[in-house]
């Protein structure tokens, strides 16, 4: 493990037996797991390169239990790592040796579905897909659809502000939330929002969304549900160069069309996927676009014609429109299987997640090709083309000494490049431990201190998920201090009236 | 008379805040001052006037992104977007005319600081949902940046969210980056006449629950209907807007008419009347008249299905109309010095939601809660958030809540 985690607190480890006993009193039955073998499944999340057994695992079932566990840990100075389904790709749920792993899987009930107000109230352990399934009989769905939607939970989606292939048109998690119940590290239970729009006062719901489990533990979520579009059709377009494909994406948007989804793959990704899924992707192209239009049939047919014309003008060499729902799903099956497909052609891979201004794509792809040669590692690219979110998959073999480290260095260079061209370190996977030490590439010390003061407002002892997101942890007392030079300051040279 | 500081660039904003910090002064933050009348009246020593920080610094239509200095007039941004067939999808309303000011004076910074939105809120979100990146000077006199110029970004806390709607109490924003979207090719509106409030809420729920992709849903009771342009007759009108490409709008319009016919007699407004109507709804037109200026004005957000139940708890002498499919109520109260907070707060305590006393005499705002009162836990948390940004309370102190 190349990322240093906060040092284990020997005093906490020394009283482990007492801690386990106290937690058993709060969460009776099988809700507390302390055996090494039984804790093994919790030692890592989707970022499997990092592993650590927690001190103990707790699986509470009620808000009251969450509150009591957190209040106890707060008073005893015990660190807590919250976990949903453990699908994080950035190590957000990586346990700590001296920490309680708080698994929210038992919060798996859908509490209320209210079609009149078009909302669902769910517990955080409900999977993303289960929300859509629960409202499907009335023709509704929940819009954000991360690729892990079969497994990932709504609580995790809130923590990570998850996106998905449709977020260009329908927004990320933060744009589809109305309220939540949250437990602070000191055990305090707060309710934010509800069935109405916008917050009264500061938008704390917006702040919690994407906070990677560092501000509080969500115990209930109110999400907006939408009526399913009448139809959806996809167009598969091949290009002789990524520049042409990128120009096509820009031209579609410039024409005033916001597709439901717009995805791009480069040649290595296309080949890996086609061999695996047989989606009928053309193999003689450098870049492939999937453009999906949704809405009433009249709208979809009209826009498909326009997209086809734009693609032709941009030099497309192949263009296929899905003629049936089966064919549309087959187009997507390839894209959705991109990660496992790459997994078949390489023993291991690292999935990066930068976002770039879309116009920089050719520049970034060219630079990545050069890096690939420099590091001696292959890279395949899938790209949420509409919003500039790039997922380079770096292929490596963990059994070859030094390859993981080389892959990580390659990944870090890619992310630095993303920032350098005006983009960001992570579009949807989160900072976690993976990108934690790259934060200074994007933020100054002042920026990071301001963010940590937000953390202090929620968790002044810094016990909730420490070691994630922030490269250096400062004490809240130190962050709170004001440094004003002594005496009165002269009036600044600013126009005044 | 209080002093006015008018910085010419972001660095001077920092200087001004540091000066305030070093001399124990409190600053009132203002752009063009169109929302000056909103919030608790607060004691400040000087005004930090950000209206000289102007200019669009980046606009890339194909990337759907625009950056501007905080004091840039919204009007200028909207014109630029319009020239490129784009728009601010959150359809920011204009508070100015509600305070007797000329329309179109507000700035982008003010729009974000008050988290403006309009009728399209139900489909496209509020300012917060389009706010991608910021540079701002905190109450510590430090310049921070957050977010970026790309739509998809989860790097670090989403500080943009907490700044949107913070009414200048956390930081003075200097540079703002927002997401922009294509303008719909055309629009039309389906009108159902003569519904009472409860029937109207049911009709709007049916429309919102259809796949017609409604981008505006309002109910204009008969006592306010005559204030709106575009309506064929001054009767209670439940109005539903459709936007998009022409073949799609035509198809959805027929589907929606069929769906709503059981509720009452329905009609259709073509693009021109539709645009005029929604402009009036966005601007809360009935309550901008000289006669209405003296009436305290509430902005109430609740679950759309509860809108009529909340309204039923307000005195019948109030004038009101509904936006957001029934979830937003604009209520003008009959007596200048009596906002009747008790009945409104009481209804929301029972039915859920929040209310802002947008307009009332300063003396009333000094004693009433302008923003929704918080539970003790939330109040304490909000105070800790404020202290993180502005520990000495130099930025708009007390504007949202006493002591924050």
């Amino acid at each position: 493990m190349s990322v240093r985690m906060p040092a284990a607190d020997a005093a906490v480890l020394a009283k482990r037996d007492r801690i386990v006993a106290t937690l058993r009193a709060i969460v009776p039955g099988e809700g507390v797991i302390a055996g090494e073998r039984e804790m093994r499944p919790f030692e890592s999340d989707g970022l499997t390169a990092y592993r650590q057994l927690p001190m103990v695992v707790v699986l509470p079932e009620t808000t009251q239990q969450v509150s009591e566990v957190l209040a106890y840990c707060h008073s005893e100075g015990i660190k807590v790592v919250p976990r949903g389904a453990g699908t994080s790709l950035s190590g957000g749920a990586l346990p700590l040796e001296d920490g309680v792993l708080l698994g929210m899987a038992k919060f798996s009930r859908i509490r209320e579905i209210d079609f009149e107000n078009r909302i669902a109230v769910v517990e955080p352990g409900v999977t993303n897909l289960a929300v859509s399934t629960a409202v499907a009989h009335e023709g509704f769905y929940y819009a954000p659809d991360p690729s892990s939607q079969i497994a990932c939970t709504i609580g995790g989606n809130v923590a990570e502000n998850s996106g998905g292939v449709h977020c260009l048109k329908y927004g990320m998690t933060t744009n589809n939330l109305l309220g939540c119940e949250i437990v602070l590290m000191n055990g305090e239970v707060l309710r934010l929002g509800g069935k109405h729009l916008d917050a009264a006062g500061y938008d704390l719901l917006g702040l919690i969304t994407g906070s990677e489990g560092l501000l509080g533990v969500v115990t209930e979520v109110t999400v907006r549900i939408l009526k399913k579009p009448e139809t959806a059709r996809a167009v598969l377009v091949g290009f002789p160069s990524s520049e042409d494909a990128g120009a096509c994406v820009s031209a579609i948007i410039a024409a005033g069309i916001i597709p439901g989804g717009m995805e791009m793959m480069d040649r290595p990704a296309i080949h890996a996927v086609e061999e695996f899924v047989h989606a009928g992707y053309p193999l003689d192209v450098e870049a492939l676009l999937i453009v999906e239009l949704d809405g009433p049939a009249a709208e979809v047919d009209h826009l498909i014609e326009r997209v086809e014309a734009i693609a032709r003008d941009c030099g497309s060499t192949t263009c296929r429109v899905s003629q049936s729902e089966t064919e549309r799903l087959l187009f997507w099956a390839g894209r959705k299987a991109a990660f496992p497909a790459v997994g078949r052609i390489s023993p291991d891979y690292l999935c990066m997640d930068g976002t770039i201004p879309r116009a920089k794509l050719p520049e970034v792809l060219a630079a990545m090709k050069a890096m690939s040669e420099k590091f001696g590692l292959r890279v395949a690219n899938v790209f949420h083309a509409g919003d500039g979110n790039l997922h380079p998959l770096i292929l490596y073999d963990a059994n070859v000494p030094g390859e993981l480290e080389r892959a990580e260095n390659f990944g870090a260079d890619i992310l630095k490049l993303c920032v350098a061209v005006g983009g960001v370190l992570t579009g949807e996977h989160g900072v976690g431990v993976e990108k934690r030490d790259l934060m200074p590439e994007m933020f100054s010390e002042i920026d990071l201190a301001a963010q940590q003061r937000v953390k202090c407002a929620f968790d002044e002892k810094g016990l909730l998920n420490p070691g994630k997101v922030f490269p250096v942890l400062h004490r809240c007392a130190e962050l709170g201090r004001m440094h004003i030079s002594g005496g009165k300051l002269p009036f600044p040279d600013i126009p005044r009236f | 008379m209080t002093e006015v500081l008018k910085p010419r660039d972001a660095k001077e904003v920092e200087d001004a805040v540091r000066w305030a910090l070093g001399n124990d002064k409190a600053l009132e933050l203002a752009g063009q001052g169109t929302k000056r009348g909103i919030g608790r009246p607060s004691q400040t020593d000087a005004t930090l006037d950000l209206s000289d920080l102007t200019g669009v610094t980046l606009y890339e239509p194909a990337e759907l992104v625009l950056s501007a200095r905080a004091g840039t007039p919204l009007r200028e941004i909207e014109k630029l977007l319009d020239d490129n067939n784009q728009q601010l999808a959150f359809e920011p309303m204009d508070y100015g005319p509600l305070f007797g000011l000329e329309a179109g004076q507000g700035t982008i910074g003010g729009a974000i600081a008050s988290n403006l939105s309009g009728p399209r809120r139900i489909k496209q979100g509020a300012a917060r949902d389009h706010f991608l990146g910021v540079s701002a000077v905190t109450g510590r006199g430090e310049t921070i940046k957050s977010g970026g110029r790309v739509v998809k970004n989860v790097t670090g806390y989403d500080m943009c969210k907490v700044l949107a709607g913070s009414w200048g109490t956390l930081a003075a924003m200097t540079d703002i980056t927002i997401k922009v979207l294509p303008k719909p090719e055309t629009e039309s509106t389906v009108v159902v006449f003569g519904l009472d409030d409860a029937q109207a809420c049911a009709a709007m729920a049916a429309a919102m629950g259809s796949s017609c992709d409604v981008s505006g849903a309002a109910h204009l009771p008969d006592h306010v209907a005559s204030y709106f342009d575009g309506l064929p007759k001054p009767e209670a009108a439940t109005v539903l807007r459709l936007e998009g490409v022409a073949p799609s709008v035509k198809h959805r319009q027929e589907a929606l008419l069929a769906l709503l016919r059981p509720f009452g007699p329905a009609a259709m407004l073509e693009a021109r009347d539709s645009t005029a109507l929604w402009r009036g709804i966005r601007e809360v037109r009935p309550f901008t008249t000289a006669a209405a200026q003296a009436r305290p004005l509430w902005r109430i957000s609740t679950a759309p299905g509860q809108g009529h139940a909340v309204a039923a708890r307000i005195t019948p002498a109030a004038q009101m109309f509904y936006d957001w499919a029934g979830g937003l109520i604009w209520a003008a109260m009959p007596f200048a010095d009596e906002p009747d907070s008790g009945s409104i707060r009481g209804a929301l305590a029972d039915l859920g939601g929040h209310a802002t006393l947008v307009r009332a005499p300063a003396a009333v705002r000094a004693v009433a809660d302008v923003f929704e009162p918080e539970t003790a836990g939330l109040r304490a948390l909000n105070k800790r958030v404020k202290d993180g940004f502005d520990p000495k309370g130099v930025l708009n102190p007390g504007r949202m809540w006493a002591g924050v």
Side-chain angles (χ1 to χ4, degrees):
Chain A
M1 196 187 297
S2 56
V3 168
R4 217 160 58 86
M5 296 305 282
D9 185 335
V12 166
L13 289 172
K15 57 184 178 183
R16 179 174 186 267
D17 290 346
R18 190 151 54 82
I19 293 169
V20 171
T22 308
L23 292 172
R24 286 219 158 99
I26 300 171
V27 184
E30 294 176 345
V32 175
I33 301 170
E36 186 184 325
R37 199 163 53 89
E38 292 73 21
M39 292 199 299
R40 198 54 77 185
F42 298 93
E43 71 178 352
S44 78
D45 56 18
L47 186 69
T48 52
Y50 297 88
R51 290 169 196 278
Q52 169 65 55
L53 271 183
M55 178 170 67
V56 55
V57 176
V58 184
L59 306 172
E61 287 180 68
T62 65
T63 300
Q64 179 65 28
Q65 288 175 351
V66 173
S67 169
E68 286 178 31
V69 168
L70 291 180
Y72 166 68
C73 291
H74 183 255
S75 68
E76 296 285 316
I78 303 164
K79 301 176 187 114
V80 175
V81 176
R83 177 184 166 110
T87 57
S88 168
L89 293 170
S90 57
L94 180 70
L96 292 165
E97 185 191 350
D98 61 339
V100 171
L101 188 81
L102 189 71
M104 297 301 287
K106 290 188 174 177
F107 279 78
S108 57
R109 283 186 320 130
I110 290 177
R111 291 189 178 167
E112 186 187 353
I113 295 170
D114 176 348
F115 289 111
E116 187 193 16
N117 289 307
R118 301 167 297 286
I119 58 106
V121 182
V122 304
E123 294 182 346
V126 173
T127 63
N128 173 292
L129 190 62
V131 179
S132 286
T133 307
V135 298
H137 63 285
E138 291 281 342
F140 282 81
Y141 76 116
Y142 174 59
D145 59 341
S147 298
S148 55
Q149 69 180 149
I150 298 172
C152 68
T153 62
I154 290 293
N157 289 178
V158 173
E160 302 292 329
N161 189 17
S162 304
V165 296
H166 291 96
C167 67
L168 175 66
K169 184 168 177 185
Y170 296 102
M172 317 241 301
T173 302
T174 192
N175 312 109
N176 289 279
L177 282 189
L178 290 177
C180 75
E181 179 185 74
I182 185 170
V183 187
L184 301 188
M185 186 64 217
N186 65 6
E188 199 176 346
V189 182
L190 298 174
R191 294 197 77 87
L192 302 172
K195 293 185 180 182
H196 52 272
L197 290 170
D198 296 335
Y202 294 148
D203 188 356
L204 301 177
L205 184 61
L207 203 47
I208 285 160
T209 311
S211 66
E212 306 199 19
L214 269 72
L215 299 184
V217 176
V218 169
T219 47
E220 183 190 281
V221 184
T222 302
V223 300
R224 203 132 87 113
I225 51 172
L226 296 177
K227 191 78 174 187
K228 263 189 214 142
E230 276 175 32
T231 52
R233 290 174 79 190
V235 198
L236 203 59
V237 201
F239 292 91
S241 75
S242 63
E243 283 89 342
D244 292 335
C248 182
V249 171
S250 294
I252 289 170
I253 289 173
I257 301 169
I258 301 291
M262 186 146 53
E263 296 290 308
M264 193 193 293
M265 282 179 266
D266 71 356
R267 190 182 185 93
I270 298 165
H271 282 252
V273 158
E274 184 55 24
E275 211 172 285
F276 182 34
V277 180
H278 308 296
Y281 289 174
L283 295 172
D284 57 348
V285 296
E286 283 300 316
L288 186 68
L289 272 187
I290 307 174
V291 184
E292 178 162 292
L293 287 311
D294 59 9
E299 173 175 334
V300 172
D301 293 348
H302 174 83
L303 292 180
I304 290 250
E305 271 178 38
R306 287 175 61 185
V307 166
E308 282 183 291
I310 292 167
R312 269 196 305 276
D313 287 348
C314 292
S316 66
T317 50
T318 65
C319 187
R320 270 171 60 202
V321 180
S322 66
Q323 298 302 324
S324 65
E325 186 62 5
T326 316
E327 193 174 15
R328 181 183 76 87
L329 293 175
L330 185 63
F331 287 1
W332 279 113
R335 166 60 187 87
K336 291 200 169 176
F339 293 5
V342 166
R344 284 175 79 238
I345 61 167
S346 171
D348 299 285
Y349 67 89
L350 272 186
C351 172
M352 310 313 294
D353 172 46
T355 304
I356 54 172
R358 206 178 335 93
K360 303 286 184 186
L361 181 66
E363 181 186 329
V364 170
L365 287 181
M368 231 187 279
K369 207 169 171 190
M371 287 181 207
S372 168
E373 280 159 22
K374 177 185 148 198
F375 287 99
L377 294 172
R378 290 178 295 165
V379 61
N381 276 291
V382 295
F383 187 46
H384 300 302
D387 43 37
N389 188 197
L390 188 64
H391 292 311
L393 303 168
I394 301 170
L395 281 49
Y396 74 101
D397 183 348
N399 290 323
V400 177
E403 273 215 358
L404 169 61
E405 202 189 340
R406 254 192 297 150
E408 287 185 327
N409 290 339
F410 185 178
D413 279 4
I414 292 173
L415 295 184
K416 287 176 191 170
L417 175 65
C418 290
V419 175
V421 300
V424 300
L425 293 173
T426 171
E428 58 184 355
H429 295 172
V431 175
V433 291
E434 187 202 27
K435 292 168 280 270
R436 187 192 76 185
D437 294 344
L438 291 171
M439 287 287 274
E441 294 289 327
M442 238 181 100
F443 296 111
S444 70
E445 270 184 40
I446 289 174
D447 299 334
L448 289 171
Q451 293 188 32
Q452 289 188 56
R453 286 190 196 102
V454 168
K455 163 80 169 163
C456 292
F458 285 79
D459 170 23
E460 86 279 11
K461 291 188 182 175
L463 292 171
L464 199 55
N465 219 5
K468 315 290 167 67
V469 183
F470 299 110
V472 183
L473 293 172
H474 295 284
R475 299 179 66 86
C476 289
E478 178 194 333
L479 288 164
R481 256 176 238 138
M482 283 277 286
H483 306 280
I484 305 168
S485 42
K488 304 261 177 196
L489 292 180
F491 199 84
D493 178 27
I494 299 172
R496 50 180 161 150
F497 303 90
Chain B
M1 197 185 130
T2 60
E3 195 137 32
V4 177
L5 297 171
K6 208 169 180 188
R8 287 159 297 198
D9 56 31
K11 180 72 186 61
E12 288 190 350
V13 176
E14 205 177 87
D15 292 342
V17 175
R18 289 186 176 189
W19 166 80
L21 274 170
N23 296 281
D24 293 321
K25 304 284 189 194
L27 299 174
E28 177 206 28
L29 266 51
Q32 292 289 351
T34 60
K35 301 177 234 352
R36 185 167 265 150
I38 305 178
R40 301 176 68 253
S42 53
Q43 294 293 317
T44 52
D45 305 295
T47 295
L48 182 57
D49 178 340
L50 301 165
S51 63
D52 265 359
L53 303 180
T54 57
V56 171
T57 51
L58 174 144
Y59 176 38
E60 292 182 7
E63 302 256 348
L64 304 175
V65 62
L66 179 145
S67 303
R69 299 203 177 88
T72 310
L74 265 187
R75 192 170 43 185
E76 187 184 320
I77 291 173
E78 291 189 309
K79 166 80 170 59
L80 176 65
L81 292 174
D82 196 59
D83 290 346
N84 286 275
N85 242 341
Q86 293 191 329
Q87 65 179 8
L88 297 174
F90 58 97
E91 210 176 5
M93 64 145 329
D94 184 353
Y95 276 113
L98 286 170
F99 293 90
L101 304 171
E102 200 187 319
Q105 301 298 300
T107 63
I108 182 69
I112 300 285
S114 53
N115 190 28
L116 290 188
S117 60
R120 214 181 280 112
R121 173 71 180 89
I122 50 174
K123 174 170 153 64
Q124 294 282 10
R128 75 184 283 277
D129 296 290
H130 300 256
F131 184 21
L132 301 180
V134 69
S135 186
V137 178
T138 67
R140 292 170 175 269
E142 294 176 335
T143 298
I144 60 164
K145 61 180 184 315
S146 182
R149 51 158 293 188
V150 292
V151 178
K152 229 169 154 185
N153 177 13
V154 294
T155 321
Y157 295 147
D158 194 349
M159 307 282 265
C160 290
K161 292 287 184 296
V162 78
L163 292 179
S166 66
W167 294 89
T169 60
L170 300 178
M173 293 182 278
T174 55
D175 294 273
I176 283 165
T177 299
I178 49 173
K179 172 180 160 186
V180 299
L181 282 170
K183 217 167 60 172
E185 192 176 288
T186 187
E187 67 172 275
S188 75
T189 291
V190 171
V191 192
V192 185
F193 292 102
L195 303 186
D196 67 25
D197 294 7
Q199 290 167 332
C201 282
M204 290 189 283
M208 294 305 297
S210 75
S211 43
C212 291
D213 198 17
V214 171
S215 72
H219 175 62
L220 316 169
D222 51 7
H223 68 273
V224 296
S226 64
Y227 291 100
F228 294 97
D229 298 330
L231 286 178
K233 49 184 177 180
E235 271 181 32
T238 308
V239 293
L240 299 138
R241 179 173 63 182
L242 303 168
E243 296 176 301
V245 292
S248 173
V249 169
K250 185 167 175 295
H251 166 86
R252 287 180 285 143
Q253 181 181 297
E254 279 152 21
L256 195 55
L257 276 169
L259 178 75
L260 296 178
R261 212 156 271 136
F263 287 91
M268 247 274 311
L269 303 183
E270 297 294 346
R272 199 187 161 86
D273 283 338
S274 176
T275 306
L277 170 68
W278 289 98
R279 169 64 63 177
I281 294 170
R282 171 180 175 178
E283 291 178 356
V284 199
R285 193 152 300 155
F287 308 136
T288 58
T289 61
Q293 298 284 338
R295 289 169 159 257
L297 182 66
W298 286 95
R299 179 181 185 273
I300 303 167
S301 175
T302 185
Q306 301 283 19
H308 65 96
V310 170
R313 301 260 299 259
I314 303 173
T315 168
Q319 295 184 338
M320 52 187 129
F321 74 91
Y322 305 79
D323 197 352
W324 299 358
L328 178 70
I329 305 166
W330 290 100
M333 309 307 284
F335 304 110
D337 52 357
E338 181 40 272
D340 200 11
S341 306
S343 62
I344 288 168
R345 302 275 186 223
L348 294 173
D350 296 342
L351 299 165
H354 59 94
T356 307
L357 180 56
V358 165
R359 184 178 67 196
V364 172
R365 285 180 286 123
V367 291
D369 284 308
V370 170
F371 294 91
E372 189 69 25
E374 314 263 49
T375 59
L378 272 178
R379 191 162 57 231
L381 179 55
N382 280 324
K383 170 77 173 136
R384 294 196 297 272
V385 170
K386 163 82 174 176
D387 287 347
F389 283 90
D390 180 22
K392 291 188 74 183
V394 295
L395 305 178
N396 280 350
R399 186 175 189 185
M400 293 182 77
W401 305 284
V404 171

